[in-house]
Amino acid sequence: MAIFLKAVLALASVILIVSILLQSSNSAGLSGAIGGGAEQLFGKKKSQGYEGILSKISTVTAVLFIALSLILVAIE
């Protein structure tokens, strides 16, 4: 059982790393700090499309990673 959970944990960690690395950066330098605030609040729907999918994958795999880590610590 523990070996299976460790394998799933390793797979979840690889998926989490890849999905985070594929996401675009949020920082746009000084120009993004001055004019980008309203755009983050009102514009650019990132919940749809490629970035939205990567964000959801990252969230799910992060929760899975934490849950599996806690389960493995409790088992061993």
Side-chain angles (χ1 to χ4, degrees):
M1 175 81 174
I3 295 172
F4 173 73
L5 290 176
K6 288 179 185 178
V8 174
L9 180 66
L11 181 65
S13 63
V14 169
I15 293 171
L16 181 62
I17 290 169
V18 170
S19 66
I20 289 174
L21 287 176
L22 288 176
Q23 290 180 7
S24 63
S25 136
N26 287 340
S27 64
L30 187 58
S31 64
I34 295 170
E39 186 175 288
Q40 287 179 350
L41 186 60
F42 298 113
K44 281 194 179 180
K45 290 191 174 187
K46 291 190 176 183
S47 63
Q48 300 172 349
Y50 182 69
E51 291 181 9
I53 293 171
L54 283 176
S55 175
K56 289 176 186 173
I57 290 172
S58 298
T59 303
V60 169
T61 53
V63 170
L64 183 66
F65 179 82
I66 292 170
L68 286 173
S69 298
L70 292 174
I71 291 170
L72 282 170
V73 167
I75 288 176
E76 293 181 7

